[in-house]
Amino acid sequence: MISFKQRISNILIEQKVATREQLDALVVEASGSGKSFARLLIEKNVVSEAKLAELLSHELGLPMIVLAKYRIEPEVAKMIPERLARQYNLIPLSKFGDRLVVAMADPMNIFAIDDLKALTQVAIDPVLSSEAEIRRAIDQAYSNDTTAAMSIVTDEETDEDNIDTAVALLLNESGEEEAPVVKIINLVIVEAMRLHASDIHLEPGAKSLRVRYRIDGHLVGGHQLPKAGQAPILTRLKIMSGLDITEWRLPQDGRFKVRLDDREVDFRVSILPIMGGGKVVLRLLDKSNLSMGMEKLGFFPESIQLFEEAVKRPYGMILVTGPTGSGKSTTLYSVLNELNKPTKNLITIEDPVEYQVEGITQVQVHPEVGLTFASGLRALLRQSPDVVMIGEIRDFETADIAMKASLTGQLVLSTLHTNDAPSAVTRLIDMGVEPFLVASSVSLIEAQRLVRKLCLKCRRPAAPSPDLLATIELQPSKDATFFQPAGCRQCNNTGYRGRIGITEAFQIDEHVRELVVNRCQSWEIKEYAVKKLGMRTLRQDGLRKAEHGMTTLEEIIAVTTEE
């Protein structure tokens, strides 16, 4: 049986729309990125969505349906669970006797058709529609189940426009009636996951419970929930997180796990007692980020090579620096994920444990009972580790133990709060660590920031103004292509979707060790690293990404003002 990708490829080659080499490269990219082959064809401007649909409809002999013209009956939609509809990218349209007409983006997916036959016990007649139209139709068709929760949310004088009725409520599709509070929490959680938010903020006010989402580093307004629902909502979150529901005077931390559309996300919950109730912040920790690879996190090949060389050494210290929220933990866990093999003993000590990863021993510090970074580090070094990850070096004692461990056979990974990579050296010396220890143990230092990525669907080419280029003293390369944000449904009309790292990294060589031992200033180390080691600074790395159309010059300037 010829696959859908092969069928599309053959059609495009016959029509002389694309070459075999182009399409083979996109097939490989589709397998690695998780995106559909058809979606990549459109995003890479190989063929327009309308032209692709026309070609497929003609070649496959299937009618092309414009779903915006159809009203899907709720009874028909319920024949196929939402989970299955999203998994296979299809939507049922109508039922005639013992036949069900289904709009599909991939009408040659025999596994999907067989599953539908087994589920519905009727024959399946596929018709063709675009992925985007099917996704919109799924959102609209299955949002009808939200009416019970919507009535709770809008009982009081709240802003109905804040409610995104296209967001599906039910994490379970059993059809059983759930408590309104559970449905509201499900709404907030599912919406955050589909918006790819990093945090959910629930903030008690005088008349309502405000919900906001942090998306790509920026807080975005969400729902205004009724004040009467505040206590049961916060109590329900405490139950889900395994916390004491009777304690409202002290801060509490917990966590729970959610699985949606084959995507598993850990939620870290922080509750802070404030006037008028408890403010809750839920941090979303998506484990799929750990397996993305450093290239997807924003590292150019040169930086990846530096990391690969550093982790091949049996001992030494790798430091990742940057402010809070700059993705340091994600970078370190990506490195750990590469090292996570049965032949190695990996141990982390963190406050708190960010990602729970199978195969890695993870220790949570508890200063109130005496388990600090320093005491925990001493204990775990007696566990014969090959690789040790320290969540953060905060004091001299932790730094001193970590340095000595990195000289006695362990590979040590850790983070520091500094503005750039060379400053990490002087920060350790300022903590009281002997310069010769720093020089001997540290093998690689990397600094990073996060900037918003341009939405690939709606970005528009735009030449930066000469004044802006003069301000940042940038002479664009000949192949530079700058873009600006436009805004579409996919990026929530922001023009940006996701974030990417900008980095600076350098390996410690003998001359840097001499500079460190002689207590030279960080600017001297930085000057040598740039001129002699070829280190690309944060701003230079960011400007290169802007030239490649990944982000904008304004984003780079905003996060690298210290340069």
Side-chain angles (χ1 to χ4, degrees):
M1 174 66 70
I2 186 170
S3 73
F4 190 53
K5 291 177 186 176
Q6 291 171 320
R7 190 69 175 265
I8 294 178
S9 297
N10 292 341
I11 293 169
L12 294 178
I13 292 168
E14 287 172 11
Q15 297 284 334
K16 298 183 179 178
V17 174
T19 64
R20 173 67 67 185
E21 291 74 19
Q22 277 181 295
L23 299 175
D24 287 346
L26 289 180
V27 168
V28 174
E29 186 175 343
S31 303
S33 66
K35 288 185 179 180
S36 73
F37 180 57
R39 177 52 46 198
L40 280 176
L41 288 171
I42 296 163
E43 287 182 0
K44 300 290 185 180
N45 297 318
V46 174
V47 63
S48 69
E49 191 163 6
K51 179 65 174 176
L52 180 62
E54 180 188 330
L55 289 173
L56 290 175
S57 177
H58 179 264
E59 292 293 332
L60 299 177
L62 293 173
M64 183 70 193
I65 300 296
V66 180
L67 289 177
K69 297 180 180 179
Y70 280 78
R71 182 181 180 277
I72 300 170
E73 295 295 332
E75 296 76 18
V76 176
K78 285 180 180 177
M79 293 184 68
I80 297 176
E82 181 186 359
R83 177 187 58 78
L84 209 60
R86 291 190 185 277
Q87 179 183 339
Y88 289 131
N89 216 350
L90 52 83
I91 185 81
L93 295 181
S94 55
K95 184 175 182 294
F96 300 99
D98 60 352
R99 308 192 74 83
L100 181 66
V101 178
V102 179
M104 303 177 69
D106 179 359
M108 294 181 68
N109 189 337
I110 58 173
F111 300 107
I113 293 174
D114 285 347
D115 282 353
L116 295 185
K117 283 181 182 176
L119 177 70
T120 60
Q121 297 296 305
V122 295
I124 304 299
D125 292 330
V127 294
L128 191 64
S129 190
S130 70
E131 283 190 30
E133 284 202 49
I134 291 176
R135 282 197 298 271
R136 282 195 291 270
I138 289 173
D139 286 341
Q140 292 165 3
Y142 293 98
S143 66
N144 294 331
D145 293 331
T146 66
T147 51
M150 294 305 161
S151 64
I152 303 296
V153 174
T154 56
D155 269 346
E156 299 187 13
E157 294 182 0
T158 57
D159 184 0
E160 290 191 29
D161 292 335
N162 283 336
I163 308 301
D164 181 359
T165 54
V167 175
L169 261 178
L170 305 178
L171 288 172
N172 63 326
E173 293 167 350
S174 61
E176 297 174 2
E177 196 64 34
E178 291 179 307
V181 168
V182 175
K183 287 191 173 185
I184 291 173
I185 292 172
N186 287 349
L187 165 67
V188 171
I189 289 174
V190 174
E191 185 172 22
M193 291 173 68
R194 292 197 175 139
L195 289 173
H196 296 279
S198 60
D199 300 88
I200 306 170
H201 291 244
L202 288 90
E203 303 159 326
K207 296 182 179 179
S208 65
L209 178 66
R210 180 170 67 166
V211 179
R212 292 193 291 173
Y213 303 106
R214 189 174 294 279
I215 301 171
D216 299 334
H218 294 252
L219 275 174
V220 177
H223 309 296
Q224 294 284 340
L225 303 179
K227 186 70 175 179
Q230 176 180 311
I233 288 171
L234 299 189
T235 300
R236 169 68 181 171
L237 284 170
K238 279 194 169 188
I239 292 170
M240 292 169 65
S241 310
L243 301 177
D244 182 358
I245 62 173
T246 64
E247 179 56 73
W248 290 100
R249 299 165 300 171
L250 297 173
Q252 289 182 279
D253 294 299
R255 63 196 309 147
F256 62 88
K257 189 177 294 185
V258 166
R259 183 184 291 275
L260 177 70
D261 296 340
D262 297 324
R263 179 180 166 209
E264 188 176 280
V265 177
D266 284 336
F267 284 77
R268 201 176 74 211
V269 183
S270 172
I271 299 179
L272 180 70
I274 63 171
M275 295 297 293
K279 175 173 177 174
V280 180
V281 175
L282 294 87
R283 167 67 58 89
L284 285 73
L285 302 166
D286 191 345
K287 290 183 182 178
S288 64
N289 292 337
L290 307 183
S291 56
M292 286 172 58
M294 299 186 76
E295 189 173 339
K296 293 287 180 66
L297 296 177
F299 287 82
F300 281 123
E302 311 91 85
S303 299
I304 296 174
Q305 185 179 350
L306 290 178
F307 267 95
E308 288 176 347
E309 290 174 4
V311 299
K312 283 178 183 175
R313 297 180 60 181
Y315 60 88
M317 175 176 280
I318 297 173
L319 289 173
V320 177
T321 75
T324 301
S326 58
K328 299 187 299 295
S329 295
T330 302
T331 297
L332 285 183
Y333 268 103
S334 296
V335 175
L336 283 176
N337 210 45
E338 292 292 322
L339 296 171
N340 189 8
K341 295 179 173 59
T343 56
K344 289 188 179 292
N345 179 18
L346 279 64
I347 306 181
T348 75
I349 179 163
E350 304 167 72
D351 182 24
V353 172
E354 294 271 357
Y355 299 94
Q356 295 178 340
V357 183
E358 191 72 29
I360 299 178
T361 303
Q362 297 170 279
V363 179
Q364 165 81 54
V365 303
H366 290 289
E368 63 276 9
V369 296
L371 180 54
T372 62
F373 274 112
S375 63
L377 188 51
R378 283 196 190 91
L380 67 84
L381 288 175
R382 293 192 287 270
Q383 295 280 316
S384 182
D386 296 298
V387 182
V388 175
M389 197 270 270
I390 306 166
E392 181 186 343
I393 293 179
R394 297 176 179 173
D395 52 45
F396 163 72
E397 193 177 8
T398 306
D400 189 56
I401 300 168
M403 295 286 170
K404 290 172 181 173
S406 69
L407 293 173
T408 56
Q410 281 87 30
L411 179 64
V412 178
L413 315 176
S414 191
T415 70
L416 271 178
H417 289 289
T418 61
N419 289 332
D420 57 18
S423 298
V425 172
T426 52
R427 174 63 57 84
L428 290 168
I429 293 173
D430 290 342
M431 283 183 179
V433 181
E434 290 293 337
F436 75 88
L437 269 181
V438 177
S440 303
S441 59
V442 178
S443 57
L444 174 71
I445 305 175
E446 184 258 339
Q448 63 184 56
R449 300 287 189 280
L450 290 177
V451 295
R452 292 184 294 173
K453 283 197 302 184
L454 282 165
C455 175
L456 296 177
K457 186 174 182 182
C458 67
R459 65 179 184 174
R460 299 287 182 267
S465 69
D467 291 342
L468 179 60
L469 293 176
T471 301
I472 59 179
E473 299 177 350
L474 174 64
Q475 185 68 37
S477 58
K478 291 182 180 179
D479 60 344
T481 307
F482 294 95
F483 289 83
Q484 67 180 10
C488 63
R489 175 174 177 148
Q490 186 170 329
C491 62
N492 206 23
N493 291 316
T494 63
Y496 297 94
R497 184 172 173 82
R499 287 190 290 176
I500 194 169
I502 59 173
T503 66
E504 66 178 33
F506 75 104
Q507 278 187 327
I508 309 295
D509 69 358
E510 288 305 318
H511 186 69
V512 173
R513 291 190 175 94
E514 287 179 23
L515 295 175
V516 173
V517 171
N518 293 329
R519 295 179 181 267
C520 290
Q521 298 298 314
S522 61
W523 64 266
E524 295 177 86
I525 299 173
K526 184 170 186 174
E527 185 177 335
Y528 173 79
V530 171
K531 291 181 178 179
K532 301 298 182 181
L533 299 179
M535 182 184 83
R536 188 183 294 112
T537 67
L538 286 168
R539 173 161 286 191
Q540 289 168 345
D541 189 75
L543 294 177
R544 187 178 173 194
K545 288 183 169 72
E547 288 184 345
H548 283 70
M550 300 179 190
T551 185
T552 61
L553 289 174
E554 290 77 11
E555 280 288 301
I556 302 305
I557 293 168
V559 300
T560 60
T561 50
E562 66 270 13
E563 291 191 30

